[in-house]
Amino acid sequence: MDAQVSFLDQLFNQRILHDSGVDGLYARSAVFEEVISQFEEFALAFGRHEISEAMVFPPGMPMADFETSGYMKSFPQLAGTVHAFCGSDHDHAGLLQCLAAGDDWTDQQKATEVALTPAACYPLYPILAKRGPMPETGAYVALQSYCFRHEPSKDPARMQMFRQREYVRVGTAEQTMAFRETWKQRGQEMMRILELPHEVDAANDPFFGRAGRMMGASQREQELKFELLVPVNSTASPTACMSFNYHMDNFGKAWNIRLADGSPAHTACVGFGLERLALALFRHHGFEVDAWPSGVRKALWG
Ligand code: AMP
Ligand code: ZN
């Protein structure tokens, strides 16, 4: 049995997560959720004084906005869309027959106007775009969303459904790059307070296919993405628990988000993988939260 399976099994045995039979899809215990909500409070304390507003999104986003994001071009392997039965009585009878016979009934499902949100900040951009040109101060939004990525795994830190808490900055190139630099520092300070071993490194997203490899290399070369890594499953390959992304004006152009002078807005976001951070805390401080180091308990529970 490898180390990844063993950490997942420990989490099941300790009833911190509950197995659903599908890799990457787990029920969360009360204690796991409490760690997440305390971490969210802790993370909000670092930026509460700067944000212009806060939002929480449902796990689905408009299909039209999902299409605009270009996600299917870059990450078709990770995407999930919501399909539903839209047929007649006759079609329903056929569907039930398929189900009873153990045949595939899903080809009768039709795409809806909802896609599963792949990244927490995507639903924000169309909302900002609809408001018209940005004020000089831009926007600084704290948000949270469930996300879906089709990457089933025995690594408990690689889930199919998980939450990201993000701060998103929309404005000029200077505003967004300064924001990202600030959060790179703050992210490391947060990890020091929570007594988690960590390092920050340049990274790239898992773009699909051969063209994708070139996109990944270019993203890395331009230092558009950094990750804060913490050993969760293995010390050999630590897990990205936070990411610090600068999208230049790509999203500003895609969604038509304009600055006061009419030029496309630049965007940057810092994402906290909430389940990953909770798992890192359990991994390093043990399964008994009452026995966590006093500094960590004080930071999370006050
Ligand atoms: P990304 O958009 O890939 O930079 O993801 C933002 C953050 O979400 C990452 O830094 C991770 O902490 C978290 N994350 C990404 N993918 C997963 C996953 N499959 N399971 C759990 N957390 C994830
Ligand atoms: Zn984001």
Side-chain angles (χ1 to χ4, degrees):
M1 192 185 282
D2 66 30
Q4 289 181 359
V5 175
S6 121
F7 185 44
L8 183 61
D9 280 344
Q10 285 177 47
L11 292 160
F12 291 158
N13 293 340
Q14 297 287 331
R15 300 199 173 168
I16 288 177
L17 296 178
H18 302 279
D19 193 5
S20 73
V22 173
D23 290 341
L25 193 65
Y26 310 117
R28 283 89 165 131
S29 61
V31 67
F32 189 83
E33 284 304 292
E34 189 182 336
V35 169
I36 287 195
S37 65
Q38 295 310 120
F39 175 83
E40 289 198 281
E41 277 297 310
F42 172 72
L44 266 174
F46 284 77
R48 189 176 271 131
H49 54 294
E50 289 165 347
I51 60 173
S52 51
E53 62 188 297
M55 294 182 198
V56 174
F57 297 117
M61 64 180 287
M63 183 72 88
D65 295 329
F66 172 79
E67 287 168 8
T68 306
S69 75
Y71 201 80
M72 288 310 286
K73 186 168 168 234
S74 299
F75 314 105
Q77 78 281 20
L78 298 177
T81 46
V82 177
H83 287 59
F85 173 73
C86 306
S88 62
D89 272 345
H90 178 259
D91 299 327
H92 183 215
L95 183 156
L96 294 181
Q97 261 175 10
C98 279
L99 262 175
D103 293 338
D104 182 16
W105 59 276
T106 54
D107 61 351
Q108 311 193 18
Q109 300 283 97
K110 293 247 182 329
T112 66
E113 59 281 276
V114 180
L116 294 173
T117 304
C121 58
Y122 281 14
L124 172 69
Y125 302 118
I127 292 174
L128 294 181
K130 280 195 200 101
R131 293 180 181 171
M134 286 275 135
E136 298 286 340
T137 48
Y140 196 147
V141 183
L143 58 84
Q144 198 245 59
S145 183
Y146 250 101
C147 299
F148 172 84
R149 291 184 190 169
H150 187 231
E151 45 184 358
S153 169
K154 294 279 183 207
D155 174 351
R158 187 169 298 283
M159 297 187 176
Q160 297 202 59
M161 290 190 157
F162 57 94
R163 278 158 291 179
Q164 291 178 357
R165 175 153 278 288
E166 287 200 3
Y167 285 102
V168 182
R169 188 78 173 102
V170 182
T172 62
E174 294 71 30
Q175 285 168 331
T176 46
M177 283 195 291
F179 160 91
R180 190 177 67 152
E181 206 40 52
T182 300
W183 278 102
K184 247 161 69 183
Q185 301 308 324
R186 281 184 189 165
Q188 293 172 81
E189 191 189 337
M190 289 163 74
M191 293 298 91
R192 279 193 291 274
I193 296 171
L194 296 179
E195 300 180 28
L196 292 173
H198 59 276
E199 59 179 353
V200 172
D201 207 356
N204 62 266
D205 289 309
F207 294 100
F208 182 75
R210 196 179 310 158
R213 275 198 290 282
M214 284 159 69
M215 286 160 84
S218 148
Q219 185 186 30
R220 207 173 255 273
E221 201 181 321
Q222 294 180 76
E223 300 198 324
L224 297 179
K225 186 179 191 79
F226 288 90
E227 288 176 338
L228 183 146
L229 306 154
V230 182
V232 178
N233 269 295
S234 77
T235 31
S237 55
T239 302
C241 290
M242 297 183 186
S243 54
F244 312 92
N245 306 298
Y246 174 44
H247 317 116
M248 302 188 285
D249 59 1
N250 291 333
F251 289 164
K253 282 179 181 155
W255 273 294
N256 197 22
I257 314 172
R258 300 272 148 200
L259 296 178
D261 68 4
S263 63
H266 288 239
T267 61
C269 69
V270 47
F272 305 115
L274 293 177
E275 283 78 5
R276 286 187 176 179
L277 284 156
L279 290 171
L281 287 161
F282 283 110
R283 183 75 206 223
H284 290 277
H285 303 320
F287 293 123
E288 290 297 328
V289 291
D290 294 340
W292 284 4
S294 60
V296 176
R297 286 195 56 80
K298 189 160 179 291
L300 292 177
W301 279 276

